[in-house]
Amino acid sequence: MDTLRGIESFVKAVESGSIAAGARLLGISAAAASQNIARLEASLGIRLLTRTTRSLALTESGELYFSQVRNVLRDLELARSNATLQHYQPQGRLRIASSAAFGRYVLAPMLPAFAARYPRIACELSTTDRSVNHIQESVDISIRIPQQLEDGLVARHIASVPSIYCASPAYLHKAGTPRTPEQLSQHDCLAFKVAVDGRLMPWRFVRDGVRFDAPLRVALVSDDIDVLARVAVNGGGITRLAAFVAEPLLASGQLLPLFGAPGDAGSQALIEPLDYYLCVRERSDLTPKVRAFIEHVLHSLRDDWRP
């Protein structure tokens, strides 16, 4: 048991970059984690880590040992879960990271039913548009847009959500209604900044099979889609919203849709949807609790969003 605790402290320290950071992930003190690693080194008779006040580094023996034991903890958790699956419901803490708007508008309403079905799973949902590190933040599964995808992740495309370009009646009365994407260059556009790379998310269309980005006259930039929606409602310009954000505002008349609204001749250009992906770090992370969550999300999503 002491050896397992030592391996756990060692692996988390290496993956997170320091003994203190690894200890926080395990919910123990840095001193306890350091003692666990010291006991592991003593039992092996080798030095695994070279410690300094600011960082740590693997010794040559440590590199070899880490490569052989890094998946031990995950394999043990998977074995335990599979062994009990026939008799018990999936259980344990499930850490989910989601792009902010999707987590707020789509995932959050799903969680009560998931909790009722799987009472032994304790969910922790982080809604953020920044890059999330599965290892350092102990994330079991994440939901991302294409701009947030990283090499090495195992990603499954789960939804294509319609994008809706919209503005308030007051703005359109003042500035006129654009009929083509090209006319957006003559309007105040409210653009979303992607937190991962700081770039503006393009306003993308497809015409005659060719994808193109509409030219924009950017009046305001925000990394919060709800801010853009509020500015648009108050007459600040045209913005692009996912359907789950836009639909309540359209239904209440606070915003009006553009490009293909009922009765509109349209722009003869299709609006490219927003794609969402379920991601795990590797296939061995598909534990029973993760599989249960994936199944619940796929079952709960609207049929018209399925890719």
Side-chain angles (χ1 to χ4, degrees), residues 129-137 142 144-156 196-197 277-282:
D129 289 314
R130 64 173 174 78
S131 180
V132 172
N133 187 300
H134 277 225
I135 295 175
Q136 294 182 358
E137 300 179 53
S142 61
R144 308 180 183 219
I145 58 176
Q147 290 83 356
Q148 297 168 326
L149 293 177
E150 301 167 4
D151 292 340
L153 287 176
V154 179
R156 176 176 179 174
V196 173
D197 56 17
Y277 294 81
L278 273 170
C279 304
V280 294
R281 191 168 65 90
E282 52 190 52

Side-chain angles (χ1 to χ4, degrees), residues 231-301:
V231 174
V233 164
N234 286 278
I238 296 171
T239 194
R240 183 183 79 162
L241 303 175
F244 48 76
V245 180
E247 286 173 348
L249 301 173
L250 298 176
S252 66
Q254 296 179 80
L255 294 177
L256 297 176
L258 306 174
F259 310 125
D264 191 341
S267 61
Q268 298 181 347
L270 300 175
I271 301 172
E272 190 170 83
L274 293 169
D275 292 316
Y276 290 88
Y277 294 81
L278 273 170
C279 304
V280 294
R281 191 168 65 90
E282 52 190 52
R283 297 194 182 279
S284 61
D285 291 333
L286 293 169
T287 59
K289 62 184 179 183
V290 171
R291 291 182 183 276
F293 179 74
I294 293 174
E295 178 187 0
H296 182 75
V297 170
L298 294 178
H299 177 76
S300 303
L301 284 172

Side-chain angles (χ1 to χ4, degrees), residues 7 13 22 30 52 58 62 70-72 83 97 99 130 133 138 145 158 171 182 238 260 267 270 281-282 300:
I7 292 173
T52 69
L58 284 166
R70 63 183 306 178
N71 292 322
V72 165
S99 57
R130 64 173 174 78
N133 187 300
S138 294
I145 58 176
I158 60 165
Y171 175 84
E182 288 77 8
I238 296 171
S267 61
L270 300 175
R281 191 168 65 90
E282 52 190 52
S300 303

Side-chain angles (χ1 to χ4, degrees), residues 12 15 57 59 61 68 97 143 152 186 195 211 225 258 274 291:
K12 291 297 184 183
E15 290 181 338
T59 64
S61 296
Q68 294 174 337
I143 297 180
Q186 304 165 27
R211 300 168 73 227
I225 202 67
L258 306 174
L274 293 169
R291 291 182 183 276

Side-chain angles (χ1 to χ4, degrees), residues 30-47:
S34 182
Q35 291 170 4
N36 290 341
I37 296 172
R39 281 193 288 267
L40 176 64
E41 290 175 323
S43 69
L44 295 171
I46 57 175
R47 176 63 66 88

